[in-house]
Every structure is written in C-alpha cells, then in structure tokens.
Amino acid sequence: MGKLVLGIAVGCAVMSCVIAGVMVGRRIRSRRRWWNVVTTVEEFKETTETSVERLRQVVDAMVVEMHAGLASEGGSKLKMLLTFVEKLPDGSENGIYYALHVGGTNFRILRIQLGGQRSILAHDVDRKPIPQILMTSTSEEFFDFIALSLKEFIERKGDNLQLSHDRGKDLGFTFSFPVKQTSVSSGTLIKWTKGFAIEDMVEKDVVECLQKALSRRGLDMNVAALVNDSVGTLAVGHFLDNDTVAAVVIGTGTNACYIERADAVIKCQGLLTTSGGMVINMEWGNFWSSHLPRTSYDIDLDAESQNPNDQGFEKMISGMYLGDIVRRVIHRLSLESDVFGPLSSKLSTRFVLSTPLMAAIHEDDSSDLSQVAKILEETLDIHDVPLKVRKIMVKVCDVVTRRAARLVAAGIVGILKKISRDGTGGISSGRNKGYKSGKMRRTVVAVEGGLYTSYTIFREYLNEAVAEILGEEIAPYVILKTMEDGSGIGAAMLAAANSARNVDTVQVL
C-alpha cells in the first residue's frame, strides 16, 4: 500500500515538473517572440534615423538637384518647371474674381471679393461631381459642362456688387493634371490621370479649350492664370504676407514651389520678366538621394506601386503612403510573431490603413489606448490586443511620422538654402539691403495640406526639425504659415494679380 502511495506521489511530482517545464518553456518562447518584436521595431527605427547631420545632407542634395533641374531639361529628377508666374498678389487687389479647380472626379467653383489692404470681403464655394461619362467623352462636352456649371453659379449667387464693367470677370484655373505650361495663362495637356481619358484633348491648350466653352455659354470672362496647387498656395501666402518666398503642399500628395531669379534658370537663357523673378514648380515628389533613409518596407511599397522607381520622395512623406508603410511593418511583425493574434488577411491589403487612421492611432491619448484597439478591430480585423502591443503600434506610427516630417523639413531648408535664405553664409548672407548689420531678412514659407494642418504631431516634428537644421540664430527668422485652399483662392488671387496687364509679358528670347 505504501509503495502505491509513494508511486502516486512520485508520479504527481513528475507530472508537476512536466507541467512546470511546459509553462516555463511557453514563457520563454513568449518572451523570445516579444523580444523579436521589440528588436524588429528598434531596427526599423534605426534605419529611419534622421539626425540633424543626415538632414543637412538631404538639404545639400536637394540644392544640387535644384541647380541641375534649372540647368537643363531632364538634368535632374526635379523637373523645376517654369510657371510663367512672375507677378504674385500683394494684397492691393480689388474686385470680384473667380476660380475653377478641376483635379479629380469633383470640381470646385469659387468667387472671392477682394477689398485691398490684404482683405477678403467675401468668399463663395460650390462643389460639383463630374459625371463619369464626361471623363471619357470629348473636350467640347467636358468643358461645356464646366462652363455651364460656372454660369449657373454666377446666376445663382448674383454678381450685383458695385464694380466697374471691366472688373470681376477674370478667372483663375487650377488644372491638376500633367501640363506643359507655355505662359501664365496657357498650357498643353501632357496626359490624363485619375481615371480621365478624353483623347482629343491631349496636347491641346487647356485654357483655350475652356475659353471657347465660356464663349459658347455666353460668358465674357478671361482666364488670366493657369496654376497648380502649390503655386496657388504661394499666391495666398504672398497676398497675406509679402515675405512669403516658397510654398509646400503636404497632404495626400506633395509638391513645392518658390520664387527664383530669372537669370538662375540656365535651361532657358533669355528669359525676360518684369520683376526679374519667376515662380518655379519643383515637382519635388520625384526628388531622390542616397541620403534618404530608405527601408525594405519603402522598397516593397515602391515595387508594388503603379509607378515603380518614380516619386520616391513622395512615397516617404505624403499622406497617400504613410499609413501603408505602417501596415507593412505590422504585417511583418504578425508573420514573425503571434503578438497580434492570428494573422489577419486584412494586413495583406494595400492601403487598408489610411493615413488619417494612422494619425488617430498615433494621437490616441487615452490611458488604455482604446482608439487604437477600435481601429485594429474595425480596420485590420485584429482583436483583443494587449496594451503593450497597442503601444508598439503607436511607436511604429511615431517612427513613420517623424521620418516623414523631418524629411519635409529638410526639403524646405533646401529651398531656402538655394535662394540664400538659410543663413549658411553667416547671418549677413540673408540680410536685406539697408538693414542694420546683423539684421536677418524675415522669410515666410506657406504650407498647406492635411498632414500639416490636421496632424498635430506631424506639424510639431516638422517645425522642430526646421529649427534644428537652421540653428537657433537663424530659425527665429523663418516662419512656416498655415494656408487654406490655395488651389482655389490662390488661383482667383493670381487672376486678380494678372488681370490688368498683358499676361504674356514673360518672354523667352
């Protein structure tokens, strides 16, 4: 009997040891998986490192590419396009001006009344969808629809303010498709994007097409300016503050423009402007340099995109892509570990995690990160994630956002360095004529786009990096100003600035 009891006791002890061993083994494996997750995230953070030294290398690379793009066509990935905009609004404009913004499946009609002294007395906007059938019809049908919509807008709003007959009839036209600009108020369509395929319009002057449609609809209006989003943003900035020298759009997509000396545009010798300068559309989304901290996730995203080896800078900094970079990191963590639970098929879906959702994860300030849990469940089909794993998700968002914001900052300082507004030649290099010794010129950069205006952490990282790169002596003289609706209001303001003059005075000899 005693032997039986002893045997049972020994068996129980052995079983307890086995169970304990299994539990210890599970804990060890769990800790090892968690350590792998932490290591992967840290490695990702290291590869995206943006020290001030590295950012200054990006600044210098941007300047080199700007010079190359101004020297010759195709000399750089930066296109450095002439906009023929050499007269920007200065706040003295008066009257009613209109704008059309055609950039996708919806378009906008705007009317503003300017009252001089940098004042906007009235601002009306109408948004209309473009019927899908018109996206593949003819240029005449397409622009007739645009012109008719403008006519109905004017009739509905009632243009009965006390203005002279010649004022209030000028129109700014924002056309967000690839265009080769030939003057401030003309440009030929290179190709359609965004689902449009109106074949008879390719290589036609888009302003001429619109002008003819306006005439057919009985509208005696003059298209005074053809612009893109970044140029419109610069126009608004300059209207509000004459020290504005550049503009950056950082939203779903990204671009930048700035005021350049006409004699610096080497690829177009003989360029004559009244002001001696011209706005250059950089198309900076295509900027590339070996100094950019590219990761395996960026390489995979680029390879799977519709335009591989193109728009490299844009794919690292714009709202179209940031959320998907985060998704790719989380997907890899889920493949290597079970910390996110069973592998969700949603993690294999490109762009399932939008950048606004990524921002919501990043800016969740609740103690239990409840917003993170909700987005993981509803968007990625990942449930019951522990708090420490949610914190990993937030950290990944932070790494992606910080890199993007700091690279944008480097791009901005690159523009300032190109036009000698960054103080690298000493504080006197940015001094205005007539200023007292040591007095730096005030420099304003207009910034538009949801990443900057709506994503607080992104904006803070960007502003911080600009100050770090410039240094404490120069940074106080550089101001980033938030702008709204440059693509619309800016186009109308450019129409105002160019309404009382021959818009073709910019010449190439």
Side-chain angles (χ1 to χ4, degrees):
M1 185 70 176
K3 290 182 179 181
L4 178 61
V5 172
L6 180 61
I8 293 173
V10 171
C12 288
V14 171
M15 184 60 69
S16 296
C17 289
V18 171
I19 293 172
V22 170
M23 292 178 67
V24 169
R26 286 178 177 174
R27 286 196 192 100
I28 292 173
R29 286 192 295 274
S30 177
R31 287 175 181 173
R32 185 180 295 122
R33 286 194 296 269
W34 176 248
W35 178 250
N36 288 340
V37 167
V38 172
T39 301
T40 299
V41 173
E42 285 301 316
E43 288 174 349
F44 176 56
K45 182 179 178 181
E46 289 175 8
T47 55
T48 61
E49 177 267 330
T50 50
S51 65
V52 176
E53 292 73 20
R54 185 164 199 168
L55 292 178
R56 285 177 176 151
Q57 290 176 322
V58 174
V59 167
D60 291 340
M62 178 71 77
V63 174
V64 169
E65 291 300 313
M66 291 173 73
H67 277 288
L70 290 172
S72 63
E73 292 293 347
S76 166
K77 280 187 169 290
L78 292 179
K79 295 185 184 300
M80 305 301 286
L81 302 174
L82 278 67
T83 66
F84 295 89
V85 172
E86 56 107 357
K87 180 175 174 56
L88 287 165
D90 59 13
S92 65
E93 292 77 14
N94 280 277
I96 292 179
Y97 300 91
Y98 291 85
L100 293 172
H101 181 197
V102 179
T105 55
N106 294 281
F107 80 101
R108 290 181 301 150
I109 308 169
L110 300 93
R111 182 182 71 166
I112 61 174
Q113 183 187 1
L114 304 176
Q117 299 180 332
R118 306 191 187 284
S119 63
I120 302 175
L121 303 179
H123 175 207
D124 296 303
V125 185
D126 195 13
R127 294 172 175 82
K128 291 194 70 169
I130 297 176
Q132 191 166 5
I133 190 171
L134 292 180
M135 295 168 64
T136 55
S137 61
T138 65
S139 58
E140 185 171 315
E141 290 173 332
F142 176 75
F143 278 106
D144 274 352
F145 170 76
I146 300 296
L148 178 60
S149 299
L150 174 60
K151 184 176 183 179
E152 292 172 347
F153 174 84
I154 294 172
E155 292 172 348
R156 186 168 63 255
K157 296 295 181 181
D159 196 1
N160 57 1
L161 296 177
Q162 298 301 310
L163 297 168
S164 67
H165 180 73
D166 292 329
R167 304 298 293 272
K169 297 177 123 181
D170 291 289
L171 179 72
F173 185 27
T174 303
F175 189 70
S176 299
F177 297 92
V179 167
K180 182 180 180 181
Q181 197 114 1
T182 50
S183 79
V184 72
S185 59
S186 63
T188 57
L189 176 66
I190 298 172
K191 64 178 179 179
W192 285 106
T193 58
K194 308 173 189 177
F196 284 76
I198 304 173
E199 294 182 4
D200 74 322
M201 199 175 145
V202 176
E203 297 186 357
K204 281 188 177 180
D205 186 333
V206 296
V207 172
E208 183 180 344
C209 290
L210 174 59
Q211 200 75 67
K212 288 179 179 178
L214 295 175
S215 297
R216 286 194 296 269
R217 292 296 178 180
L219 291 173
D220 183 17
M221 302 185 78
N222 172 53
V223 183
L226 174 66
V227 301
N228 70 13
D229 293 4
S230 63
V231 176
T233 300
L234 178 59
V236 177
H238 204 268
F239 176 88
L240 298 173
D241 192 326
N242 279 343
D243 288 331
T244 305
V245 298
V248 172
V249 175
I250 179 69
T252 303
T254 184
N255 196 12
C257 67
Y258 72 104
I259 304 170
E260 180 62 273
R261 300 188 333 270
D263 60 7
V265 187
I266 308 301
K267 65 183 176 183
C268 200
Q269 289 286 2
L271 182 66
L272 298 181
T273 69
T274 303
S275 66
M278 179 179 289
V279 177
I280 299 294
N281 168 18
M282 293 176 63
E283 292 293 331
W284 84 347
N286 205 37
F287 168 67
W288 186 251
S289 165
S290 61
H291 296 298
L292 293 174
R294 199 184 197 199
T295 70
S296 60
Y297 308 103
D298 300 303
I299 294 170
D300 291 343
L301 183 151
D302 179 58
E304 296 171 19
S305 69
Q306 294 180 334
N307 55 341
N309 301 314
D310 197 21
Q311 298 296 105
F313 195 47
E314 182 171 80
K315 289 170 182 172
M316 297 176 76
I317 67 174
S318 77
M320 177 74 184
Y321 301 100
L322 299 188
D324 202 56
I325 296 172
V326 171
R327 175 196 67 83
R328 290 171 184 275
V329 177
I330 301 305
H331 186 213
R332 177 178 168 183
L333 295 178
S334 295
L335 289 171
E336 296 179 349
S337 168
D338 61 356
V339 294
F340 284 93
L343 182 64
S344 169
S345 60
K346 292 286 187 68
L347 284 172
S348 300
T349 305
R350 294 173 62 216
F351 301 108
V352 68
L353 183 66
S354 67
T355 297
L357 287 176
M358 182 200 80
I361 290 171
H362 194 190
E363 298 187 325
D364 185 357
D365 58 2
S366 61
S367 59
D368 61 349
L369 297 178
S370 56
Q371 183 68 14
V372 177
K374 182 180 179 181
I375 293 172
L376 285 172
E377 289 179 5
E378 295 180 354
T379 304
L380 298 177
D381 196 24
I382 298 174
H383 302 268
D384 303 320
V385 174
L387 181 59
K388 69 175 184 178
V389 178
R390 290 179 227 166
K391 289 180 179 179
I392 282 288
M393 186 82 178
V394 174
K395 184 170 185 178
V396 172
C397 293
D398 185 72
V399 171
V400 171
T401 299
R402 188 172 188 271
R403 180 187 68 168
R406 290 174 69 82
L407 289 178
V408 174
I412 290 173
V413 177
I415 296 173
L416 300 184
K417 185 168 185 176
K418 170 64 180 69
I419 57 176
S420 301
R421 291 291 192 108
D422 71 324
T424 51
I427 195 165
S428 61
S429 69
R431 197 170 62 240
N432 265 337
K433 290 182 179 179
Y435 272 32
K436 294 179 182 179
S437 178
K439 182 65 175 178
M440 184 77 177
R441 277 185 295 185
R442 180 173 174 274
T443 297
V444 178
V445 178
V447 186
E448 184 181 8
L451 273 180
Y452 190 80
T453 60
S454 302
Y455 194 171
T456 303
I457 298 176
F458 181 96
R459 182 170 62 252
E460 290 174 351
Y461 278 151
L462 195 161
N463 294 344
E464 177 185 73
V466 168
E468 287 180 17
I469 301 168
L470 291 172
E472 60 183 18
E473 187 180 22
I474 305 299
Y477 296 95
V478 174
I479 298 98
L480 304 187
K481 276 194 175 182
T482 302
M483 299 295 153
E484 294 185 8
D485 199 14
S487 57
I489 297 176
M493 287 178 173
L494 280 166
N498 290 277
S499 65
R501 60 192 286 273
N502 179 356
V503 297
D504 292 319
T505 55
V506 178
Q507 303 175 45
V508 178
L509 296 183

